[in-house]
Structures are given as structure tokens and as C-alpha cells.
Amino acid sequence: MIKNQAEKVIEVSDVNKKVGSFQILNGVSFSISKGEIVGLVGPNGAGKSTLMKILAGLSLPKPRGKCYVLGFDMTNESERIEVSKRSSFFIETPALYYQLTGYDNIELYAKLKYGNTFNVKDEVNRLAPFFELDNKMLKRKAKTYSLGTKQKVSLLQMFIGNPEVLILDEPFNGLDPTTTIKVKELLKTRWRENNVTVLISSHILSDIEELCSRIIFIKNGSIILDKNKEELLKRNTVVIFHLTEKEHVDIACSLIKEKLPYATVETQFNNSIKIYNLNSHYDVLDLLQNEGIVIKSIEEQKISLVDLYKQLYLQ
């Protein structure tokens, strides 16, 4: 165990993961302080789930790298056991014993983690409404559950006992909108009341934007950007030019791509073009007016996480 790591709840240092000749993670390093909710974003195959498995102690860095959670070395088996008592890890898919009922799955998990004296019934009664789970559903065997219900029961397990750390890989996958809203509220409540530390991945970028104060972007096994969300979105704006004539849209796009190669442009509905990375909207204004393209209006917007994702991964 590392001493004096009270503020750095999660510490990842030069983590590599190689399977055969395929490099899954390449020199990944970051830390997460107590009480942060951090989003992990990237396309399929970027290395998100592999990184979370290493943080959960389900996989080891190879050939090098270190991961610490709550100051404990996750490559050390005895230290991983201590972390498991104080943290919850939801990785990729629901993990249930199908021959047991939902309640029995929760009870088994809770007692293995916290001991036989843990009051499972009261905890389930407190948490079940957030997951839209009633007694009738919890008494059914897990093999009869839909994907969404399996996800609900597995997620409920993660909140049992007020863990200090939550590492959640695609937690909202398969959930209906009502449950998604309630689980997000539960997560926010736990954060406010207990200062829980969270690392969460999701392909639903609006959920990341809503929940997280900081976002780590990963691509091809490497971190390409790691910044505070407000700083990311505040410093980046998009400009929308609404044109009078429909036939001018393609001409304007071609001109901007040719004359302003640092900018990114895409067409919109209603004779409009959307432009990222502009130094000044006057650059476009002058360019279009010189070509006789009539501009109806100009609109500035704060960039969304979806817009930022497009810039990082789709250009």
C-alpha cells in the first residue's frame, strides 16, 4: 500500500497491456482525486473496458504499469481483497447466477463482501425503488430476466453498503429512461452525501456530460485528452452561418475547406453550415461575402460533448 495517497483515490501509472502482438493500452497514466466523477470516453476497441478490468484487479498490466485504488496496489492479490470491501466494480455485462433469484444474488454478493451480519433486507428496500425493482421481480430467478432487468439487479449490487469508489463500465446499457434517470439521481446523491469517487464509461455522451466534472478521452489505447468538462466546453465554440440560398451551401463548404484548412465544417438543415475551430467568424464572413454568398444570420453556440467527440474521433 502507498502511504499519503488520501487525496488520490485512483492512480494509474504507465499502464500497458499487450496480448500477443496487439497493443491494447499504451502508457496510460492519470489520477482521480477523492470526490471526483470522471468520464472515460472513446469508441469501441479504444481500451476502456480493458483499463477498467485492470483497475478492478481482473486483469494485470503487461509488460509494465501500476494501478492503485485507495492507495492499494491492484496487482497485489491481498491488497485487491481490501479494495473490494470498499469499492464496487461493474465491468461490461451483468454478472448474475441464473439459477438464483434476483434477491438471492444480491444477498450472496452483500454477505460475501460485508459479512453475514450485514442487513441485506433493509438495504434492498432502500435501493430497489431507484431501479424500478419490486419484490415480485426480485423473487424471480435471474435466468428469466430481460437484459434490462439483469442490468438493474447488477447495478443495485454496486450501491450496496455505500462504497467509497465506483468504477462503472456502460452502466446504463439496456436501462429504460425512467430507471436511467433514477440511477443518475442516486449516483449524484451518493456523491453529494458521501463524496464517493466515480470513474464511468458510456457511449451515451449526454450522460457523461450531465454527470462528470472531468472527461478522459482514449483512442487506440492512449489518452488523447484529459480535462475539466467546463474548461473543455467553455473554450470551444461553434459558429453556425445561416445562408439565404440553398445552392450556396455546398459552395460555402468547399471554400472554407480550401481557404481555412484549420476549420472543420459540416452542413446543417435549413441552408446552414456549422463550423468548428474558427479563429474568428470574420474570416468566414469575409470569405463568403467576397464570393457573393448572402448570409442571413450568424449564431454562436457552446460546443457539446458530441461536437467535441466528432472533432477528436471523426475528422
Side-chain angles (χ1 to χ4, degrees):
M1 180 180 179
I2 289 186
K3 303 295 183 183
N4 300 320
Q5 290 287 316
E7 288 305 307
K8 290 186 178 180
V9 174
I10 296 174
E11 182 83 20
V12 176
S13 178
D14 194 27
V15 164
N16 288 259
K17 183 68 176 181
K18 193 171 185 179
V19 177
S21 61
F22 185 64
Q23 190 81 33
I24 302 173
L25 295 173
N26 185 23
V28 173
S29 297
F30 64 90
S31 63
I32 299 176
S33 299
K34 185 174 179 61
E36 277 194 287
I37 302 181
V38 178
L40 185 62
V41 170
N44 290 335
K48 302 185 301 298
S49 292
T50 299
L51 177 59
M52 288 181 152
K53 286 178 182 176
I54 291 173
L55 281 167
L58 300 174
S59 181
L60 296 175
K62 185 180 180 181
R64 65 182 183 275
K66 282 288 187 180
C67 285
Y68 298 93
V69 178
L70 295 166
F72 293 94
D73 183 356
M74 296 305 289
T75 65
N76 181 293
E77 184 175 358
S78 62
E79 296 196 25
R80 286 201 302 270
I81 292 172
E82 183 61 32
V83 172
S84 70
K85 298 174 183 176
R86 299 165 57 188
S87 308
S88 291
F89 304 95
F90 182 91
I91 311 296
E92 288 190 322
T93 56
L96 300 173
Y97 292 102
Y98 285 178
Q99 71 274 24
L100 298 180
T101 66
Y103 183 87
D104 288 342
N105 268 282
I106 296 167
E107 183 178 51
L108 177 63
Y109 172 87
K111 292 194 172 181
L112 284 172
K113 187 168 186 173
Y114 300 114
N116 289 328
T117 59
F118 185 82
N119 191 333
V120 180
K121 185 177 180 180
D122 285 355
E123 191 77 346
V124 171
N125 288 339
R126 182 171 63 87
L127 290 171
F130 290 100
F131 297 90
E132 295 284 297
L133 291 168
D134 57 26
N135 288 332
K136 184 177 178 181
M137 182 63 72
L138 289 172
K139 288 178 180 178
R140 282 173 46 185
K141 288 191 175 182
K143 66 182 180 182
T144 69
Y145 287 165
S146 66
L147 171 62
T149 303
K150 292 172 187 173
Q151 191 87 349
K152 291 177 183 181
V153 173
S154 294
L155 273 178
L156 188 153
Q157 291 176 324
M158 299 302 100
F159 287 88
I160 289 280
N162 294 322
E164 297 173 53
V165 179
L166 287 169
I167 293 181
L168 306 173
D169 185 15
E170 295 291 343
F172 307 118
N173 184 37
L175 296 185
D176 59 84
T178 299
T179 306
T180 299
I181 291 168
K182 288 187 174 184
V183 172
K184 286 193 287 188
E185 286 305 313
L186 175 62
L187 190 58
K188 293 174 187 176
T189 300
R190 287 293 177 87
W191 172 70
R192 286 194 301 267
E193 293 179 353
N194 302 326
N195 210 23
V196 65
T197 303
V198 183
L199 177 65
I200 180 171
S201 76
S202 178
H203 291 304
I204 306 171
L205 297 178
S206 58
D207 291 335
I208 295 292
E209 188 168 350
E210 177 185 346
L211 290 169
C212 301
S213 58
R214 174 179 153 212
I215 305 170
I216 297 171
F217 296 87
I218 186 169
K219 183 178 183 180
N220 297 328
S222 298
I223 291 176
I224 58 172
L225 188 61
D226 177 359
K227 280 190 178 294
N228 176 278
K229 179 188 67 179
E230 294 303 321
E231 182 183 357
L232 273 174
L233 302 183
K234 184 178 179 180
R235 290 190 177 185
N236 292 276
T237 58
V238 294
V239 183
I240 299 174
F241 286 80
H242 301 282
L243 309 182
T244 302
E245 304 295 334
K246 182 178 180 180
E247 57 267 25
H248 286 165
V249 172
D250 289 340
I251 298 171
C253 287
S254 297
L255 276 170
I256 294 165
K257 289 176 182 178
E258 178 186 353
K259 301 295 184 180
L260 305 173
Y262 54 83
T264 302
V265 60
E266 61 182 45
T267 59
Q268 302 284 291
F269 295 109
N270 301 322
N271 305 339
S272 301
I273 56 175
K274 191 175 190 178
I275 309 173
Y276 309 90
N277 302 328
L278 274 181
N279 294 328
S280 168
H281 68 266
Y282 291 107
D283 295 339
V284 175
L285 188 63
D286 293 341
L287 180 64
L288 299 186
Q289 287 181 337
N290 288 340
E291 294 294 326
I293 296 174
V294 179
I295 299 165
K296 185 178 180 181
S297 62
I298 301 172
E299 177 186 354
E300 283 196 1
Q301 294 180 349
K302 278 188 177 181
I303 197 170
S304 70
L305 190 54
V306 173
D307 292 325
L308 185 57
Y309 185 95
K310 287 179 182 179
Q311 290 184 48
L312 293 173
Y313 296 102
L314 300 181
Q315 303 300 331

